[in-house]
Amino acid sequence: MSDTFEHKPAVWTAAQLREAIKDLPDDAPIHIGVADRPGDFEGFGGYVLVDAEHVTNWWPATPSTPERSETEKALTLFADFEPGEYERDTG
């Protein structure tokens, strides 16, 4: 049996994000450090925020209910590699 652990990160709210960025100028880029493993930021990958969309849940139609979607009061933040020169993927 493999050794496992339950990962429970403290997920930030919109209020915490607002507070963290309140003194940044409007044109300041947002950098995102992505953990290599759950909770491990020692060798994190650096990314930049490129988009945000409201989270939408979608349920397909069934014989008894129509297709439906619902927008949550949450955002998905999209990150891309930091600006720079990278080797082209030829595969």
Side-chain angles (χ1 to χ4, degrees), residues 5-21:
F5 68 96
E6 189 168 341
H7 180 58
K8 294 182 178 181
V11 179
W12 272 31
T13 64
Q16 288 171 293
L17 181 58
R18 272 190 217 94
E19 177 63 24
I21 66 172

Side-chain angles (χ1 to χ4, degrees), residues 12-62:
W12 272 31
T13 64
Q16 288 171 293
L17 181 58
R18 272 190 217 94
E19 177 63 24
I21 66 172
K22 70 180 182 189
D23 295 325
L24 288 178
D26 288 345
D27 61 350
I30 304 294
H31 293 262
I32 299 171
V34 178
D36 287 338
R37 298 183 41 78
D40 180 6
F41 289 96
E42 242 179 77
F44 72 88
Y47 299 87
V48 291
L49 181 64
V50 295
D51 198 6
E53 292 182 8
H54 286 276
V55 174
T56 302
N57 295 315
W58 175 80
W59 295 269
T62 67

Side-chain angles (χ1 to χ4, degrees), residues 1 9 12 23 25 28 36-37 44-45 51-53 55 64 67 69 72 74-75 77 80-81 85 87:
M1 187 162 99
W12 272 31
D23 295 325
D36 287 338
R37 298 183 41 78
F44 72 88
D51 198 6
E53 292 182 8
V55 174
S64 60
E67 176 183 305
S69 65
E72 287 188 34
L75 286 176
L77 302 177
D80 198 351
F81 286 82
E85 189 170 318
E87 287 190 26

